[in-house]
Amino acid sequence: MNELCDLKSVMCAFSGRLRAMVKQEKKKTSSRSKEAVLCIKLAEFPGGGEGFELVARFCYNNGRVPLCPSNLPLLHCAAVFLEMTEEVCACNLLAQAEAFVNGLYYWTWADVLAAVKSCEPFAATADASGLLERLISALFSKITAAASPETPAAAMGTPTNRSSSSCSSSPDTVGFARSSSSKTPESMRPCVGREWWFDDMTSLSPTTIEKVMRVLGCYGIENKNLILTRFLLHYLRAATRRPPMCKEEEEPGTLAGLADTAVHGVALVGGTAFSCRGLFWVLRIVSGVGMSRECRHKLERLMGLMLDQATLDDLLVSGDGGGVYDVNLVMRLVRVFVSSEEDADAPSLRMRKVGRLIDKYLGEISPDQGLKVSKFLAVAESLPDAARECYDGVYRALDIYLESHPTLSLEDRTTLCRCLNYEKLTLEACKDLAKNRRIPPGVAVQALASQQSKLQISKEGRPDPSQTPRRAVRGSVDLDGGSDEKELLRLNLLKMQNRVVELERACKEMKGQMTKVAKGKSFAAAASCHQTGGRGLPRLC
């Protein structure tokens, strides 16, 4: 009890808050009580028991304590909490801490980063006192100073080892000033690789990073800085790889807010700084931590407008549980792309390229057992008919789907075949379809009939070479060079038809010969029987 009273009297000499608490407690206690009892909840004290111990040492050492960047935030916040100001004591802790903070310019990068990191257990108190904002400003002053050749090396300090291998920053790629202008600032210029400070900053908590973005005026929709956008993507990627125990300590929704901030920055620059593959990379990162529906719509619109630059590997995004792949995402991207091409008079090369890409995608997702018939049809029919010059790719994907789903009913198989345009199938594909046992017979008949009508139309629309002058024929060939494939298809089908006719004729001839042979054998058998019964007419030959 005496030790507690001694501690109380020592600390009251430096703390205005403890003095006020003692006076208030004495008024409540009776006159018989010898001492007033003080109760300070360590949970409310900055840094808990560790912070209280540091302050107690300061008081017992007559107002002296060694200050360093790692313990400064704790002592500063404790001094603010206990009101250890100059009005209470000349050797006050707050004044000493403020004097140490004023020398931030001479701190190294590692010192400032350690100070910011040490604020995290009592971030609310550090933020309320203004210390956290000052440390963050000093941190990014070091970053901008690194881009200036006139800055002394001592002022910057030495980066930590894990970031020394990263690429260095340049004057054109560093800029963190607040910007209220709607125009893209110079700091939005694309940078190569990642900055040297990216890895070091990943050690900070999501709450601290959110505060950093707010201090820099780049949080949420206000993010207009490409460097900070790239940093957020780097940070979110590292956050998704943390152990589960570390993720549980994070405040819910903090990472989602950072993901939205990153997407706003990406949407501002669009395709000028991110390729189509880069946008898919962004989507994979931000989807892992969650983002708002508005930001997802922004990002997917950018991706859809650049869909002709995508590859098959880009489209193979993992699904959420309904299937192996996220088919709904691809359908949304195709919808955006098609809507952007609606005003075109004729199918563009970009549309044809997307058509071939979607055919490859169909072939890749067809073996998925979780892919429903309706979803397969939705992907196949998401493009207009003009987007495909040939439907062989769709047929191959359909055949793989039917082979991977052998239990489909006749009705489902017939429904699936509606995604085919039989007139745009090549002769080889049409022949394979007619022989394919997985294809309903009615569909095979329709496909062959479409090929027959297509060739008939082609034959009627083509002039007779025998009635056309030689020079005119040459001119028509030059003008109609693109019809070689159709002519070849027509000739192949005619050959096939002639072959069928020849086979039918051969069958008839063989049937007639076999009939004659059968009659000759029966006549010979009858003559043999007559000869064995006795002497008859002489042999004619």
Side-chain angles (χ1 to χ4, degrees):
M1 186 68 178
N2 293 332
E3 293 179 357
L4 291 176
C5 295
D6 183 47
L7 176 62
K8 180 184 66 176
S9 60
V10 171
M11 295 189 67
C12 285
F14 294 92
S15 173
R17 182 170 184 173
L18 289 180
R19 288 184 182 181
M21 292 175 66
V22 169
K23 291 180 180 180
Q24 186 177 4
E25 193 66 26
K26 284 183 177 180
K27 292 179 181 179
K28 292 181 181 179
T29 55
S30 60
S31 57
R32 295 180 181 179
S33 299
K34 294 183 179 179
E35 295 289 345
V37 179
L38 299 181
C39 180
I40 299 178
K41 295 181 180 179
L42 291 179
E44 299 176 356
F45 197 88
E50 181 184 357
F52 188 82
E53 181 181 355
L54 279 176
V55 173
R57 289 182 180 180
F58 169 82
C59 296
Y60 273 106
N61 290 335
N62 294 323
R64 293 188 302 271
V65 65
L67 289 172
C68 61
S70 59
N71 68 8
L72 170 72
L74 182 56
L75 290 172
H76 185 280
C77 292
V80 173
F81 180 81
L82 293 176
E83 299 177 6
M84 304 175 76
T85 60
E86 190 175 359
E87 289 79 7
V88 179
C89 179
C91 299
N92 64 88
L93 180 58
L94 186 59
Q96 295 182 39
E98 285 289 344
F100 195 83
V101 172
N102 292 335
L104 275 173
Y105 177 79
Y106 301 101
W107 292 17
T108 64
W109 162 262
D111 289 340
V112 182
L113 184 66
V116 174
K117 178 72 175 175
S118 64
C119 290
E120 292 179 351
F122 44 91
T125 306
D127 189 17
S129 65
L131 177 63
L132 182 57
E133 183 171 347
R134 293 170 66 183
L135 291 173
I136 291 173
S137 299
L139 194 67
F140 279 86
S141 295
K142 298 289 182 183
I143 295 174
T144 53
S148 176
E150 293 83 8
T151 304
M156 179 58 208
T158 304
T160 58
N161 292 331
R162 62 176 176 174
S163 64
S164 59
S165 60
S166 303
C167 66
S168 60
S169 55
S170 62
D172 289 338
T173 57
V174 178
F176 306 99
R178 296 173 183 265
S179 174
S180 59
S181 173
S182 59
K183 297 182 179 180
T184 304
E186 291 186 1
S187 58
M188 295 297 290
R189 297 177 184 175
C191 67
V192 180
R194 63 178 185 270
E195 300 300 315
W196 59 265
W197 48 273
F198 279 13
D199 287 338
D200 288 341
M201 294 282 287
T202 56
S203 64
L204 301 177
S205 68
T207 305
T208 303
I209 298 299
E210 179 181 337
K211 179 63 179 178
V212 167
M213 300 302 293
R214 292 185 182 278
V215 169
L216 298 174
C218 296
Y219 186 77
I221 200 172
E222 296 178 353
N223 181 20
K224 298 179 175 64
N225 192 292
L226 180 58
I227 303 298
L228 291 178
T229 299
R230 290 185 180 276
F231 161 68
L232 285 178
L233 294 173
H234 181 80
Y235 181 85
L236 292 172
R237 185 186 182 191
T240 57
R241 299 178 177 180
R242 290 175 184 168
M245 294 181 61
C246 298
K247 293 181 181 179
E248 293 176 359
E249 298 174 358
E250 299 169 357
E251 294 185 10
T254 306
L255 286 176
L258 296 178
D260 285 354
T261 303
V263 172
H264 285 303
V266 171
L268 184 65
V269 294
T272 61
F274 291 88
S275 63
C276 186
R277 170 159 291 187
L279 292 176
F280 274 97
W281 176 76
V282 172
L283 178 69
R284 286 180 170 89
I285 291 175
V286 296
S287 297
V289 297
M291 59 177 165
S292 65
R293 183 176 300 178
E294 175 191 359
C295 289
R296 177 175 286 276
H297 177 73
K298 273 187 176 183
L299 185 57
E300 289 182 359
R301 176 166 178 78
L302 280 177
M303 297 164 63
L305 295 175
M306 301 171 64
L307 191 59
D308 59 306
Q309 302 177 24
T311 63
L312 178 60
D313 291 338
D314 296 333
L315 298 185
L316 299 179
V317 180
S318 300
D320 296 332
V324 178
Y325 302 110
D326 193 349
V327 180
N328 292 328
L329 168 66
V330 176
M331 292 172 57
R332 292 194 298 268
L333 298 182
V334 173
R335 195 178 302 120
V336 171
F337 181 82
V338 171
S339 63
S340 68
E341 295 282 319
E342 286 181 349
D343 297 334
D345 297 332
S348 62
L349 295 176
R350 298 176 67 232
M351 179 68 79
R352 296 281 171 82
K353 191 174 182 181
V354 171
R356 292 191 293 270
L357 176 64
I358 295 303
D359 290 352
K360 293 178 182 177
Y361 180 73
L362 271 174
E364 190 69 26
I365 66 175
S366 293
D368 181 9
Q369 296 298 314
L371 185 65
K372 297 182 179 180
V373 172
S374 58
K375 196 60 66 72
F376 181 93
L377 278 175
V379 177
E381 297 175 344
S382 60
L383 288 171
D385 182 70
R388 296 183 176 96
E389 295 179 314
C390 178
Y391 268 72
D392 286 12
V394 181
Y395 169 67
R396 284 192 293 269
L398 175 62
D399 189 30
I400 295 173
Y401 186 84
L402 293 176
E403 184 179 3
S404 304
H405 300 76
T407 59
L408 290 177
S409 63
L410 178 64
E411 182 181 0
D412 286 338
R413 286 183 284 139
T414 304
T415 303
L416 278 169
C417 292
R418 81 180 188 197
C419 65
L420 294 174
N421 185 342
Y422 307 127
E423 295 182 357
K424 287 189 176 183
L425 288 173
T426 62
L427 180 61
E428 295 298 325
C430 193
K431 289 165 59 178
D432 186 82
L433 184 147
K435 296 184 297 182
N436 196 335
R437 296 183 178 181
R438 292 182 286 270
I439 300 295
V443 173
V445 172
Q446 292 180 14
L448 291 174
S450 299
Q451 289 284 328
Q452 182 77 15
S453 62
K454 180 178 67 173
L455 291 176
Q456 186 67 26
I457 294 173
S458 176
K459 184 176 180 181
E460 292 176 356
R462 193 172 183 84
D464 189 0
S466 62
Q467 300 179 2
T468 306
R470 187 172 183 179
R471 186 173 300 175
V473 170
R474 289 181 179 177
S476 65
V477 171
D478 294 338
L479 294 174
D480 197 21
S483 63
D484 292 343
E485 184 178 352
K486 294 182 179 179
E487 180 65 17
L488 180 62
L489 179 64
R490 186 181 73 83
L491 293 175
N492 288 335
L493 190 56
L494 286 175
K495 289 179 181 179
M496 185 172 68
Q497 290 175 342
N498 293 333
R499 180 61 177 164
V500 171
V501 173
E502 291 176 0
L503 290 174
E504 290 179 350
R505 188 181 303 162
C507 287
K508 289 180 180 179
E509 292 178 356
M510 291 177 63
K511 187 176 181 180
Q513 291 177 0
M514 291 182 67
T515 302
K516 291 180 181 180
V517 170
K519 289 181 178 180
K521 286 183 178 180
S522 61
F523 179 77
S528 175
C529 291
H530 181 71
Q531 290 177 0
T532 55
R535 295 181 179 179
L537 294 175
R539 296 176 66 180
L540 298 179
C541 59

